[in-house]
Amino acid sequence: MTALSFCHTVIDGNGPYLDRFFTYRVPPELSEQLQVGHYVKVPWGQKERGAVVHSFSHRLPPELSDEDVKLISGIADPRPVIGPLQWKMVEWLRGFYFGTWSEALRCLLPGPVLQGLRKSTKARKKKDGIDQPAEEQPPRLTGEQEQVWGQLQKSLAEGKTFLLQGVTGSGKTELYLRATAHVLHQGRQAIVLVPEVALTPQTQQRYRSRFGSRVCILHSGLTDAQRRREWWRIRDGEAAVVVGTRSAIFAPVEDCGLIVLDEEHDSSYKQGSDIRYHARQVAAWLSRETKCSVILGSATPSLESYALALGGRYQLLELHRRVSDRPLPEMRIVQGRGIPHQVLQALAERKAKGEQSVVLLNRRGFSNYLQCNDCGWVPECTECSISLTYHKAKRALRCHYCGAHRRAPDACPECGSHKLEYPGRGTERVEQELSTRLPELRVARLDRDTVGGRSQVFSEVFSEFASGGLDCLLGTQMVAKGLDFPRVTLVVVLQADTGLHLPDFRANERTFSLLTQVAGRAGRGEEPGEVLLVCSRPQDHFFHHLLQHRWKEFMASEQELRRALKYPPYARLLRLLLSDEKEERLEKKAQEVAGILEPVCHQSDVELLGPAPCPLERLQGRYRWHIILRALKVQDLQNVVRNSRPSLNMGKTRLSFDPDPLDLL
Ligand code: ADP
Ligand code: ZN
Ligand code: ZN
């Protein structure tokens, strides 16, 4: 491959001092073989480390002398782990999201794959294929689907981005399947993203029954060995359709013809640490680079995407009706708290008719917190500025931010009183209340406590629900999305208005999406669906649009608000998040950073907001401050950071960058 004698690599490892290329000499016996993207072993002090080959050169870079440069020890796997396009992507990730080489590389080479490479010095054994179910015939498209498909088919080869806005149950997934079949037919591959692990068993099944063993699955619920195997199945070209969650956007497909983001508005598409990428943004980059098409689908697209579609950047496709002209579910408000009698009655009625229900409460645990009735004491997390949630089954107090937990006390540690109260309710309490008040109702609870990250649990619960062994799925937003069970005719949302009161400019939009989404689980079969929203203080304007399924009207009013307040999509934001164990040091550093950024911002039409303590002031033992930069053009934001970064001396304070933040807490 190369007669070039020096090779520049990125070391597999963390630390700012590693954030540059390391140069090695290519031994003559490897010079034929060695390629860009090979995972190699290199000498490192007395030991060896892994590294990925970035490029080659004839001559030594001037800053290095001959004796500095050591020989590469060997190649870990004969196949390059990333190609030239992926390197370009790593460069882009590093630049756009302000990460290190190694952080960017890790997006593309997930942990289990890297572990495998570190261990192996020989070629991997080929795994036998997965048994292939019969590939089923697609159904005939409905009139509306046919129309949209016509538009899609015409332009799929052009590398366009489509925004498919279709009401719940309108058959969007069927169109994704068609589009996927289309690109496979042309010998290209497809990546299909879904927001939650919860959705993958069902989605998986639908893709598998259409494309058999050409489907591969990637998400964090898999074991390391499974992830490694699936990754290599794509890398080796054995699989052609990748179905997965956020990070599957980095799957090593050779020639991607299509990327689908189902429920494109979902905030789980954004990574919350290290490189804070958004899968939609990565998809857009891939589309620009490789001319692959992108389909963004949702019943309630994000305002960001919708604005681009209205502006003509995306091609808007719409499905207004459900398949077989089934009506959208009727939504009603039940004013009250807890589980009102009307709700219990409705659940019992469905059960009697052999129909099923879904109950959503977006809060896990038993009570929201614990409080001493005598002195008012409320236990808080010692590491975060948040009160602890009470989990009854384990008698534990848990922090929902950092996961810290301890045993709940039997008496108040402040005053010794035994009158402890457990105000509010989470899914655990609702499960208990349902079992006492409707003992015959067979309920399964799905939330992070019952599921953890294990997709196995989902598969089991879902297949039991599908076979009629359960009457009701109760859970957090895990039960809201994507599920397609024709016998569900009732959806109940408890505390349906709580999401509206969060201090976040997206609070209304998110609540509208979530409620529309969960409502969409009802009435997907022969029988019409009904939705009961339990609210203590229903807000007129918001619920008026929601109950009438008037998404467009709601979005128009949100647009006006955002425009007036200069929030996205009418501006771009970049959040600088600073954290430190010491509060005083942090505040001083935040002021100092703002002082450095300010003049640069001033020169480039960028507005600087802050510095200010984050709404969540303390997390995992660290105090937090942020600075928010706002501009019309993202390039201006990027330039401010690029130009001022060399002057920032952070010392012990941690600084991270969040372009286009979704979370301002
Ligand atoms: P969405 O993704 O928009 O929520 P789905 O694609 O899940 O909708 O479709 C809803 C239901 O209708 C599914 O059970 C699906 O199998 C069925 N379906 C979709 N398209 C058709 C069609 N053309 N003919 C018959 N059934 C269909
Ligand atoms: Zn007390
Ligand atoms: Zn905590």
Side-chain angles (χ1 to χ4, degrees):
M1 174 73 203
T2 170
L4 300 170
S5 31
F6 297 100
C7 132
H8 312 292
T9 68
V10 171
I11 300 291
D12 170 15
N14 257 334
Y17 64 100
L18 292 178
D19 193 29
R20 62 178 181 88
F21 291 135
F22 287 79
T23 301
Y24 291 90
R25 199 184 294 282
V26 181
E29 71 273 16
L30 290 184
S31 70
E32 285 287 302
Q33 233 184 311
L34 196 63
Q35 291 178 41
V36 165
H38 260 136
Y39 192 89
V40 291
K41 300 281 161 92
V42 297
W44 192 268
Q46 301 301 317
K47 295 193 196 132
E48 276 190 347
R49 275 191 107 134
V52 184
V53 176
H54 175 271
S55 50
F56 294 99
S57 64
H58 283 290
R59 255 175 286 161
L60 204 57
E63 70 275 14
L64 293 175
S65 67
D66 221 30
E67 57 271 27
D68 290 340
V69 182
K70 297 188 182 142
L71 279 171
I72 283 183
S73 328
I75 303 177
D77 194 290
R79 296 152 303 175
V81 288
I82 66 175
L85 175 71
Q86 281 85 27
W87 265 122
K88 208 167 166 190
M89 183 190 260
V90 168
E91 268 161 57
W92 172 74
L93 285 169
R94 180 173 177 267
F96 192 86
Y97 296 104
F98 306 104
T100 64
W101 279 113
S102 138
E103 282 168 346
L105 202 53
R106 272 155 202 249
C107 290
L108 277 74
L109 295 172
V113 172
L114 280 171
Q115 277 160 29
L117 288 165
R118 283 180 207 130
K119 273 189 243 146
S120 83
T121 46
K122 51 183 189 299
R124 244 173 6 99
K125 274 202 305 260
K126 255 203 166 167
K127 282 273 155 73
D128 20 274
I130 293 167
D131 41 319
Q132 186 163 355
E135 302 191 6
E136 75 174 18
Q137 282 303 308
R140 269 194 57 192
L141 295 181
T142 66
E144 232 188 4
Q145 277 174 326
E146 196 67 68
Q147 241 177 14
V148 168
W149 175 235
Q151 289 174 276
L152 264 175
Q153 201 180 12
K154 209 166 57 200
S155 323
L156 262 181
E158 293 167 21
K160 273 194 181 175
T161 298
F162 303 90
L163 180 63
L164 173 58
Q165 194 257 319
V167 298
T168 54
S170 57
K172 296 186 287 298
T173 311
E174 184 53 44
L175 289 168
Y176 307 152
L177 288 162
R178 290 287 161 122
T180 302
H182 188 80
V183 300
L184 290 193
H185 194 67
Q186 296 170 329
R188 306 182 77 185
Q189 293 105 46
I191 299 178
V192 180
L193 301 184
V194 291
E196 294 261 351
V197 186
L199 300 185
T200 45
Q202 247 197 356
T203 312
Q204 199 170 312
Q205 220 172 27
R206 276 177 92 172
Y207 280 82
R208 278 251 164 84
S209 60
R210 200 67 65 86
F211 306 112
S213 60
R214 285 180 291 170
V215 176
C216 107
I217 310 293
L218 279 181
H219 60 73
S220 56
L222 302 177
T223 64
D224 283 2
Q226 286 171 326
R227 267 178 97 180
R228 193 155 52 230
R229 190 189 65 207
E230 291 297 85
W231 193 90
W232 279 106
R233 286 211 316 127
I234 319 157
R235 179 69 190 82
D236 291 344
E238 287 167 26
V241 184
V242 180
V243 177
T245 47
R246 178 179 67 226
S247 62
I249 190 69
F250 297 115
V253 293
E254 190 73 30
D255 178 18
C256 188
L258 174 70
I259 300 171
V260 175
L261 264 87
D262 190 24
E263 316 286 12
E264 69 89 31
H265 62 277
D266 199 284
S267 52
S268 72
Y269 283 127
K270 173 130 173 136
Q271 165 126 316
S273 61
D274 293 336
I275 298 232
R276 293 167 188 259
Y277 70 88
H278 195 298
R280 190 171 55 213
Q281 234 157 16
V282 180
W285 183 88
L286 272 168
S287 173
R288 276 198 303 277
E289 290 293 319
T290 69
K291 295 274 169 289
C292 72
S293 285
V294 178
I295 304 178
L296 308 173
S298 176
T300 53
S302 62
L303 190 42
E304 283 82 351
S305 297
Y306 186 50
L308 286 174
L310 292 179
R313 283 269 299 282
Y314 294 169
Q315 185 174 339
L316 186 63
L317 305 170
E318 295 171 283
L319 292 170
H320 303 283
R321 282 186 296 278
R322 282 188 156 182
V323 173
S324 321
D325 269 327
R326 283 168 201 141
L328 281 168
E330 197 182 312
M331 299 170 95
R332 284 194 292 131
I333 287 186
V334 177
Q335 199 151 357
R337 292 170 188 283
I339 314 176
H341 182 68
Q342 199 179 332
V343 166
L344 291 170
Q345 212 170 5
L347 287 168
E349 271 167 29
R350 303 296 151 154
K351 155 99 187 158
K353 283 200 269 179
E355 296 169 5
Q356 294 175 309
S357 342
V358 169
V359 177
L360 169 79
L361 172 58
N362 208 5
R363 189 190 287 275
R364 63 204 171 90
F366 184 80
S367 67
N368 302 351
Y369 53 99
L370 180 160
Q371 186 168 32
C372 170
N373 205 5
D374 282 332
C375 75
W377 172 78
V378 172
E380 289 189 356
C381 179
T382 53
E383 307 297 308
C384 312
S385 48
I386 197 93
S387 56
L388 294 169
T389 304
Y390 177 59
H391 291 246
K392 191 175 180 189
K394 299 223 162 89
R395 262 205 82 67
L397 290 169
R398 267 180 201 285
C399 173
H400 284 189
Y401 283 95
C402 74
H405 52 91
R406 56 178 198 254
R407 224 188 120 69
D410 300 317
C412 172
E414 297 286 316
C415 72
S417 163
H418 283 271
K419 285 193 217 139
L420 298 181
E421 291 199 326
Y422 306 92
R425 56 170 55 69
T427 44
E428 193 187 349
R429 173 176 255 164
V430 172
E431 184 185 30
Q432 197 186 59
E433 286 173 343
L434 286 177
S435 78
T436 47
R437 296 168 73 183
L438 292 175
E440 72 284 7
L441 195 74
R442 295 164 301 169
V443 181
R445 187 177 113 215
L446 285 175
D447 57 32
R448 228 186 302 158
D449 298 314
T450 59
V451 178
R454 295 157 298 165
S455 61
Q456 188 62 27
V457 178
F458 285 118
S459 313
E460 283 162 19
V461 171
F462 289 157
S463 58
E464 203 184 347
F465 195 61
S467 71
L470 289 166
D471 303 310
C472 177
L473 280 187
L474 156 71
T476 53
Q477 51 174 333
M478 282 179 191
V479 300
K481 302 165 189 175
L483 307 181
D484 185 23
F485 293 107
R487 276 196 288 184
V488 172
T489 53
L490 173 68
V491 166
V492 175
V493 185
L494 302 175
Q495 298 174 29
D497 49 353
T498 42
L500 294 172
H501 310 303
L502 292 175
D504 183 329
F505 66 88
R506 290 192 180 88
N508 287 351
E509 183 188 341
R510 288 213 177 113
T511 307
F512 199 99
S513 291
L514 180 67
L515 296 180
T516 302
Q517 210 101 78
V518 69
R521 301 315 105 209
R524 296 170 79 88
E526 298 297 316
E527 296 301 316
E530 184 186 18
V531 182
L532 300 177
L533 305 172
V534 180
C535 303
S536 46
R537 284 181 295 159
Q539 231 186 55
D540 296 349
H541 148 84
F542 177 88
F543 284 103
H544 176 71
H545 289 316
L546 181 76
L547 298 192
Q548 306 294 322
H549 304 284
R550 288 196 194 143
W551 176 76
K552 275 195 178 159
E553 288 80 352
F554 167 74
M555 285 305 251
S557 66
E558 281 298 294
Q559 267 178 306
E560 286 322 304
L561 276 176
R562 300 270 187 98
R563 206 195 304 270
L565 297 169
K566 288 196 286 172
Y567 277 127
Y570 302 101
R572 299 289 287 267
L573 304 179
L574 195 156
R575 183 193 196 203
L576 284 81
L577 182 66
L578 297 91
S579 72
D580 199 319
E581 287 158 8
K582 298 236 160 65
E583 198 172 8
E584 253 169 60
R585 185 169 62 197
L586 174 63
E587 177 170 357
K588 245 173 75 191
K589 195 49 91 178
Q591 303 289 1
E592 186 189 308
V593 170
I596 293 171
L597 292 173
E598 199 131 55
V600 191
C601 288
H602 197 70
Q603 285 163 14
S604 33
D605 280 335
V606 172
E607 197 182 343
L608 185 148
L609 310 168
C614 300
L616 185 61
E617 285 182 47
R618 200 155 159 264
L619 183 64
Q620 296 185 312
R622 301 179 71 86
Y623 292 91
R624 308 160 82 239
W625 276 59
H626 62 185
I627 297 169
I628 290 167
L629 305 182
R630 172 157 68 185
L632 287 178
K633 288 205 236 84
V634 70
Q635 290 84 355
D636 292 334
L637 293 175
Q638 299 265 326
N639 286 336
V640 165
V641 174
R642 253 176 235 133
N643 295 336
S644 20
R645 215 173 163 198
S647 332
L648 304 179
N649 176 12
M650 296 311 293
K652 293 211 158 124
T653 306
R654 225 178 268 161
L655 170 64
S656 63
F657 300 92
D658 191 359
D660 300 311
L662 286 185
D663 173 6
L664 297 174
L665 287 182

